[in-house]
Amino acid sequence: MKVLVVGSGGREHAICWKLKQSSKVTELFCAPGNAGIAQTAQCVDVKATDVDGMVKWAKENAMDFVVVAPDDPLALGMVDALEEAGIPAFGPRKNAAVIEASKAFSKELMKKYHIPTARYETFTELDQALAYIEERGAPIVVKADGLALGKGVVVAATVDEAKRAAREMMADKKFGESGSTVVIEECMTGPEVTVLAFADGERVRTMPASQDHKRAYDGNQGPNTGGMGAISPPPQYTPDVAARCMDEIFLPTIRALKAEGRPFQGVIYFGLMLTPGGPRVVEYNARFGDPECQAVLSLLDSDLMDIFTACREGTLDRADIRWKDQAACCLVLASGGYPLDYQKGYPISGLEEAGKSAVVFHAGTKLGKQGEFLTNGGRVLGVTALGDTLEQAIANAYAAAKPISFTGMHFRTDIGRAF
Ligand code: AMP
Ligand code: GLY
């Protein structure tokens, strides 16, 4: 099969790396990809959000299957457009991807189907939002409705901070139209875990749970990022918690989407908080998380192409999905200053050495004139290692990352130990 993966980050590198191991995949392409992905797949110069351009390229080059990995093209309906052009595509259609693209939609869905989540109200008028914040008090959480690169959420410790966030989103349009509607919700407490699951419209099959580290600095301090590292599986996600999540959250969500005429095929991301009152949904995403994907797919023992096909064909119950009985850790190496301003274009050394004991997924790299790897993004690399225990996986990832360096390189030293 000729397979195209849409996207350009560490997640897409991990998907390409795993698809490359499939005997079904004879030719692999990635649009637009990055310098690391180019070692596994042929990179194609089409932007991930260019729906028409992607359909045209996939048609002209006779792709047998397209995997749409990032949120933006899913929200734009890239899967719908590809399928309508006769090209089989993996990922939810636009009407199901809305569980990520609109927080107001996902919160209403949870309310209607009694899926546990934080209590909330939705606002389109700033005055009413401010009055509600005043009434509820702090701590309180203010969220822009739409996609905002993971930065449209403010967990406010004080009423003033919450009001400022609402003003910035609704009046100053900090996130453009994404903030015209805001969701204001109760602040939950407890460890956070991610559960990714394959879904075929009817069924879900969960992957091993994982845990992202969203804050930039050690001890969960500093600004929110796309994710500074991930482990799988986190110790807090016990079999009892898993069984409860399946009954109270995963199955009800898939059934709710089907009942609403929005069957979900693809990877569904359950962002959960294990509160004292039980597991509750923090957010849904319509795709693999990044960097959770890098850790979790490293544990997959089966053929990813077969699983993607089963999701699309509605035969997930029969798919062969086996996982290594090990743990994984993905350590993100980022540019100094990320997630705020940072410089790009620095040479990266030590990649070959690191690659001997871990898989180094590239998130933001490009090739220099002499064929050397240069930094080209906020998150640059995801050094991913396995171990027989979580401790061992973490130690292996840090040891493997040791030889890697570039100007300004920043990483957290407490991945897997911060909770
Ligand atoms: P989200 O983009 O919805 O995942 O939010 C980003 C982060 O904000 C989450 O990973 C949580 O750490 C935090 N957060 C979001 N909603 C809540 C909530 N209701 N209570 C406490 N923390 C939250
Ligand atoms: N790692 C969080 C996300 O991909 O949304």
Side-chain angles (χ1 to χ4, degrees):
M1 290 171 84
K2 288 167 88 169
V3 178
L4 168 66
V5 175
V6 175
S8 64
R11 166 183 56 204
E12 287 74 18
H13 194 181
I15 293 170
C16 286
W17 167 81
K18 196 66 205 171
L19 286 177
K20 189 77 176 179
Q21 297 168 18
S22 166
S23 58
K24 314 276 174 9
V25 179
T26 48
E27 284 181 72
L28 187 60
F29 302 85
C30 187
N34 64 38
I37 292 174
Q39 296 182 310
T40 307
Q42 230 170 290
C43 291
V44 176
D45 191 17
V46 180
K47 272 220 219 89
T49 48
D50 180 358
V51 176
D52 293 343
M54 202 66 74
V55 173
K56 185 162 174 278
W57 189 90
K59 246 176 130 165
E60 281 172 6
N61 294 277
M63 288 302 114
D64 297 304
F65 200 90
V66 179
V67 179
V68 183
D71 50 350
D72 285 324
L74 289 168
L76 290 169
M78 188 177 277
V79 169
D80 308 59
L82 287 161
E83 290 279 353
E84 268 141 42
I87 303 159
F90 177 82
R93 286 175 179 257
K94 186 177 178 172
N95 72 352
V98 70
I99 58 160
E100 170 167 11
S102 168
K103 292 197 190 289
F105 173 86
S106 64
K107 292 297 288 190
E108 261 155 53
L109 187 86
M110 287 185 263
K111 192 186 251 177
K112 182 169 171 190
Y113 291 89
H114 309 292
I115 297 165
T117 187
R119 270 194 302 279
Y120 77 102
E121 291 290 338
T122 302
F123 297 93
T124 50
E125 300 294 334
L126 177 61
D127 288 354
Q128 290 172 13
L130 297 178
Y132 182 75
I133 291 168
E134 191 73 47
E135 178 198 322
R136 304 293 309 192
I140 192 160
V141 182
V142 183
K143 301 185 172 185
D145 174 53
L147 298 176
L149 291 172
K151 296 178 187 115
V153 174
V154 174
V155 181
T158 64
V159 166
D160 280 349
E161 193 188 341
K163 286 182 170 176
R164 196 176 333 123
R167 274 196 203 96
E168 283 176 358
M169 289 177 198
M170 301 180 84
D172 308 345
K173 298 270 181 257
K174 190 172 177 186
F175 304 108
E177 282 312 304
S178 285
S180 314
T181 301
V182 300
V183 169
I184 301 182
E185 63 180 40
E186 161 202 8
C187 190
M188 302 184 288
T189 55
E192 278 185 76
V193 299
T194 299
V195 177
L196 301 169
F198 295 109
D200 71 355
E202 302 259 347
R203 287 163 279 260
V204 273
R205 290 190 56 188
T206 53
M207 305 181 212
S210 52
Q211 198 160 42
D212 188 9
H213 296 61
K214 288 199 170 101
R215 301 296 194 107
Y217 313 129
D218 283 4
N220 296 325
Q221 301 296 309
N224 262 328
T225 68
M228 294 298 293
I231 52 147
S232 174
Q236 299 94 334
Y237 194 75
T238 60
D240 281 352
V241 175
R244 194 164 167 189
C245 288
M246 184 54 91
D247 288 347
E248 295 176 11
I249 297 174
F250 308 154
L251 284 173
T253 300
I254 288 301
R255 290 184 186 139
L257 285 163
K258 181 158 182 258
E260 295 289 312
R262 302 167 183 271
F264 192 104
Q265 295 190 322
V267 169
I268 184 163
Y269 174 121
F270 298 95
L272 307 173
M273 199 170 271
L274 308 181
T275 76
R280 298 212 230 159
V281 176
V282 178
E283 64 164 345
Y284 293 123
N285 290 326
R287 52 174 176 81
F288 279 110
D290 184 336
E292 291 97 323
C293 176
Q294 293 87 312
V296 170
L297 282 189
S298 300
L299 294 170
L300 180 63
D301 247 344
S302 307
D303 185 321
L304 185 60
M305 191 62 230
D306 285 343
I307 303 173
F308 282 169
T309 304
C311 288
R312 186 179 164 276
E313 293 181 350
T315 55
L316 198 51
D317 49 336
R318 279 172 271 148
D320 167 35
I321 310 182
R322 281 167 292 112
W323 302 96
K324 292 184 202 305
D325 187 18
Q326 283 186 295
C329 174
C330 171
L331 167 65
V332 171
L333 306 179
S335 294
Y338 172 77
L340 307 174
D341 286 342
Y342 56 84
Q343 304 289 315
K344 302 193 278 196
Y346 296 120
I348 306 167
S349 58
L351 282 171
E352 211 165 301
E353 188 61 28
K356 288 179 189 159
S357 50
V359 184
V360 183
F361 294 117
H362 290 227
T365 63
K366 66 175 179 186
L367 283 185
K369 289 205 176 70
Q370 273 87 46
E372 76 279 26
F373 288 101
L374 303 176
T375 65
N376 193 39
R379 290 189 290 180
V380 177
L381 302 165
V383 180
T384 308
L386 301 183
D388 288 336
T389 62
L390 184 56
E391 274 308 308
Q392 197 58 56
I394 295 166
N396 290 346
Y398 277 97
K402 259 234 157 87
I404 300 179
S405 76
F406 54 84
T407 304
M409 183 172 95
H410 162 67
F411 59 92
R412 278 182 59 163
T413 65
D414 63 350
I415 298 303
R417 302 196 188 95
F419 294 94

